């Protein structure tokens, strides 16, 4: 059984990965981001996302811009940085290794 802290660490890491992947497709506002995370059951409490976004911004993986117009209130828009794109590429490579290892483990386990 996975301990709760381990589960939360894994989930947080996957949320970071998912956010960078979403941003690689274009900028997104905070409301769309929250909806997409909820749609794939990665967000259980909305407040969880803000520390993650803060860390991604602090590490220069994303930029936050405020956008406003006469027709709409101020929106927080997020976009990926070149450093964030490099981080995403590294995460994808790591994920591939995890998939391979898991597949090998599960195959060995079945035999």
């Amino acid at each position: 059984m996975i301990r709760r802290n381990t589960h939360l660490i894994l989930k947080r890491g996957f949320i970071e990965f998912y956010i960078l992947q979403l941003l690689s497709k274009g900028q997104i506002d905070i409301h769309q981001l929250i909806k997409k995370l909820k749609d794939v059951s990665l967000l259980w409490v909305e407040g969880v996302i803000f520390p993650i976004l803060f860390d991604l911004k602090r590490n220069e993986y994303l930029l936050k811009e405020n956008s406003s117009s006469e027709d709409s209130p101020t929106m927080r828009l997020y976009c990926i940085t070149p450093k964030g794109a490099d981080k995403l590429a590294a995460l994808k490579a790591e994920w591939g290794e995890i998939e391979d290892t898991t597949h090998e483990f599960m195959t060995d386990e079945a035999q």
Side-chain angles (χ1 to χ4, degrees):
M1 182 171 169
I2 295 178
R3 291 189 342 224
R4 181 160 172 76
N5 288 344
T6 303
H7 176 73
L8 292 176
I9 290 167
L10 290 171
K11 199 163 191 179
R12 179 186 170 108
F14 198 76
I15 290 171
E16 290 175 358
F17 187 4
Y18 191 79
I19 288 171
L20 291 174
Q21 179 62 31
L22 285 174
L23 294 176
S24 73
K25 297 176 182 183
Q27 69 182 19
I28 190 168
D29 73 61
I30 189 65
H31 302 292
Q32 291 172 319
L33 187 56
I34 289 170
K35 182 183 180 325
K36 288 185 181 290
L37 287 165
K38 283 183 174 181
D39 287 349
V40 294
S41 302
L42 282 175
L43 194 61
W44 59 100
V45 177
E46 286 184 19
V48 168
I49 194 172
F50 296 103
I52 294 171
L53 290 171
F54 177 81
D55 288 344
L56 290 170
K57 185 174 179 288
R58 183 176 45 83
N59 289 314
E60 300 175 351
Y61 298 145
L62 63 80
L63 292 174
K64 178 180 87 170
E65 301 172 354
N66 291 324
S67 173
S68 62
S69 68
E70 292 179 18
D71 300 334
S72 65
T74 300
M75 292 176 29
R76 284 183 271 186
L77 298 174
Y78 294 89
C79 60
I80 196 167
T81 64
K83 188 174 177 180
D86 291 344
K87 177 66 174 178
L88 177 59
L91 289 170
K92 285 181 179 181
E94 289 175 20
W95 185 255
E97 292 174 13
I98 291 168
E99 281 182 317
D100 293 344
T101 302
T102 303
H103 178 71
E104 288 175 22
F105 172 75
M106 298 302 279
T107 303
D108 288 345
E109 190 77 15
Q111 295 177 357

